[in-house]
Amino acid sequence: MRIGLSAPVVTAVPGIASAWEAAAGPDELGEVVSCADELGFDHITCSEHVAVPVDAATTRGGTYWDPLATLSFLAACSRSIRLVTSVIVLPYHLPLEIAKRYGTLDRLSRGRVVLGVGVGSLREEFELLGAPWEDRGAVTDARMRELRAVWGRPEVDGMIVSPSATRDHVPLWVGGRTRRSLRRAVELGDGWMPFGLSAEQIETMLGDVELPAGLDIVLGTGRPLDPLGDPHTAERVLHRLHDAGATAVTCAIRANSAAHYCDQLAALRAITEKNQHP
């Protein structure tokens, strides 16, 4: 089971973000991703929201750094950790636009991009951007197929696309919390990245479908882990997610500074090595 991170600083979700993150910036973020990279963590994620309704910000938070800009910065601060969107909302984007922009990032990062994709859930944001709300599921399915068709191609419909990605396939991890999102991952994706579900619910949903070989099940820890202060709980959470079917886990980390965050990462790495979760 591979271990990744939900990037600190770049979002401010109540109950998840630590207090130090509010005043942190590029220096602290670069310190964290460099540390994670050196320790061998699998991936780091960044979410997408262009704008969040004031009422929704009380639960979702109102700070969301742009994923393309952020992951480009993280690519320059690291050498091997994978760069994951978690998630970009496909109805907001044209597939060729994604292929060009994130394909350039894939080239700059030497093939480290993973595209987490989703249908979106904020009607007000859809309306702000002029995106289709009612048929967003069908739009997402169609755009996943289109993205597969154009990713990494140097020429599309007689038009040159340069630079393009370093490879002709990009992993697509489907976000969501519904059975439809799991079916979308099985049919069209390379992984399922659910949120807001218990380990028991995830186990049940996974047991109801035939999973293709190699499909990643990328689960989150939910509440932040405290590997130094409470290693037993951190260990227990990872075990439970492994038993629920995770092939990879995206961890939120509790800390009081960037330096403390790095110390937490070292402690988490020790826990995973002890339990053979490389």
Side-chain angles (χ1 to χ4, degrees):
M1 189 173 73
R2 307 185 309 276
I3 305 296
L5 303 171
S6 176
V9 180
V10 302
T11 59
V13 179
I16 303 296
S18 299
W20 71 275
E21 298 176 42
D27 290 344
E28 292 84 358
L29 187 57
E31 180 181 351
V32 164
V33 74
S34 296
C35 177
D37 192 57
E38 291 174 5
L39 288 169
F41 281 83
D42 178 71
H43 64 271
I44 191 162
T45 69
C46 185
S47 302
E48 176 183 57
H49 279 297
V50 174
V52 177
V54 172
D55 291 344
T58 59
T59 54
R60 294 175 180 257
T63 296
Y64 287 88
W65 292 27
D66 177 76
L68 180 60
T70 301
L71 294 177
S72 297
F73 173 76
L74 297 183
C77 298
S78 59
R79 298 179 62 86
S80 61
I81 195 167
R82 294 197 291 172
L83 310 164
V84 182
T85 58
S86 178
V87 298
I88 52 174
V89 181
L90 279 188
Y92 296 168
H93 305 280
L94 296 176
L96 186 57
E97 169 214 347
I98 295 173
K100 176 60 180 286
R101 295 168 70 205
Y102 283 91
T104 302
L105 174 58
D106 194 61
R107 183 167 293 275
L108 287 169
S109 65
R110 295 178 174 84
R112 289 192 275 146
V113 168
V114 177
L115 292 178
V117 299
V119 302
S121 59
L122 283 176
R123 187 176 193 131
E124 299 92 335
E125 191 176 23
F126 274 73
E127 293 172 349
L128 177 70
L129 298 173
W133 170 259
E134 299 299 340
D135 57 350
R136 64 193 187 282
V139 168
T140 298
D141 290 349
R143 290 188 179 175
M144 286 183 70
R145 293 186 176 97
E146 292 172 32
L147 183 54
R148 291 280 195 214
V150 300
W151 180 267
R153 289 181 56 186
E155 184 176 321
V156 176
D157 294 334
M159 303 289 287
I160 294 173
V161 182
S162 179
S164 57
T166 59
R167 53 208 166 133
D168 59 9
H169 178 88
V170 62
L172 296 180
W173 290 354
V174 176
R177 54 181 301 173
T178 65
R179 293 181 184 276
R180 181 68 193 94
S181 70
L182 176 55
R183 291 196 300 271
R184 180 175 291 112
V186 168
E187 295 167 8
L188 301 173
D190 301 284
W192 185 45
M193 190 165 43
F195 65 91
L197 298 173
S198 68
E200 291 74 17
Q201 289 172 309
I202 291 168
E203 264 187 303
T204 298
M205 293 171 70
L206 291 175
D208 290 339
V209 298
E210 184 175 348
L211 301 178
L215 185 76
D216 264 318
I217 305 299
V218 187
L219 305 185
T221 56
R223 310 301 292 182
L225 301 180
D226 183 5
L228 284 170
D230 190 359
H232 299 298
T233 295
E235 186 173 3
R236 186 177 71 249
V237 168
L238 294 177
H239 271 302
R240 184 67 189 96
L241 295 175
H242 177 270
D243 292 344
T247 62
V249 172
T250 301
C251 300
I253 303 294
R254 187 177 307 283
N256 55 39
S257 68
H260 183 223
Y261 192 104
C262 291
D263 291 341
Q264 292 278 50
L265 291 184
L268 180 59
R269 172 52 69 199
I271 291 170
T272 60
E273 289 177 348
K274 183 182 78 169
N275 289 278
Q276 299 182 340
H277 297 323

